Amino acid sequence: QLILILSGNLSFLNWLTIVPSIFCLDDRFLLRRIPRFFHRIAFGTKAAAFVKNLETSPFSPRSTFVRRTVSMTFFALMAKLNVNVVRNLLSRRQLMNASFDPLRLANSYGAFGVVSEERHELIISSAQDVTGPWREYEFKIKPGNVARTPRFISPYHHRLDWQMWISSQIGGIERSPWMYSFLLKLLKQEEDVVSLLASDPWSGDKIGPKYIQVEKFRYKFAKSPDRYWEREKTGRYFPRQGIVTADMLASLIND
């Protein structure tokens, strides 16, 4: 997990894996490896009195032998069962979320087996007039402006940016119905929602947007030094044809 954290930006899943696993470690093992300063803090509270007893009361030889035997047996079993998991990890065609033994004790898990050099992004824009000009909404993290370089976000997770990318991968807006409310709130310029974005294209204007649309673009790394991305429009995401207003979005939400 630490290797993945060091090599990637979107590492909140790895941090979520590490934190619960700490509770699987033996209390004595942890006590020997945390600074004494934290010992003094913990021992100053009644709730942590049992921690001090762990330091001073030794295990019996028999219990130590049983614990070590169980631990080593479990380690050997999992090492044997995970051979195919490691082979799958090193293969060119990884199987994601797959099991490799009849009892499903050793499995592979992962959201992405391969990281591509292209990505599909949804770009939201709005206008005061049907003929334009259309102003794009810039998100805090996800690609939009082709000249903007990626941000370092680890270990924070920008859920809205993440959901926008997921929506671009799973089909039409019908499979992401939350976007109807999101687009409506953007048209209404609701402060709580607009604050989730990097900027509001209508900030400072006396009039706000009346129409909104979502288009789909293919992004890839640029070869030109004056931009980070190159993008190409691949189609309309919502609406498929025509325009959409606040009243139309409200109707879709109520239906």
Side-chain angles (χ1 to χ4, degrees), residues 1-2 4-5 9-24 109 111 154-159 162:
Q1 297 299 328
L2 290 176
L4 291 173
I5 288 173
N9 196 11
L10 191 65
S11 62
F12 73 99
L13 288 173
N14 308 111
W15 285 109
L16 290 177
T17 303
I18 289 177
V19 173
S21 66
I22 294 176
F23 296 99
C24 298
Y109 168 78
S154 181
Y156 190 70
H157 178 40
H158 292 261
R159 294 189 64 183
W162 172 265

Side-chain angles (χ1 to χ4, degrees), residues 20-37:
S21 66
I22 294 176
F23 296 99
C24 298
L25 299 175
D26 181 74
D27 294 327
R28 284 194 173 191
F29 175 86
L30 289 176
L31 281 173
R32 294 192 190 102
R33 284 156 181 82
I34 63 176
R36 301 297 299 182
F37 172 74

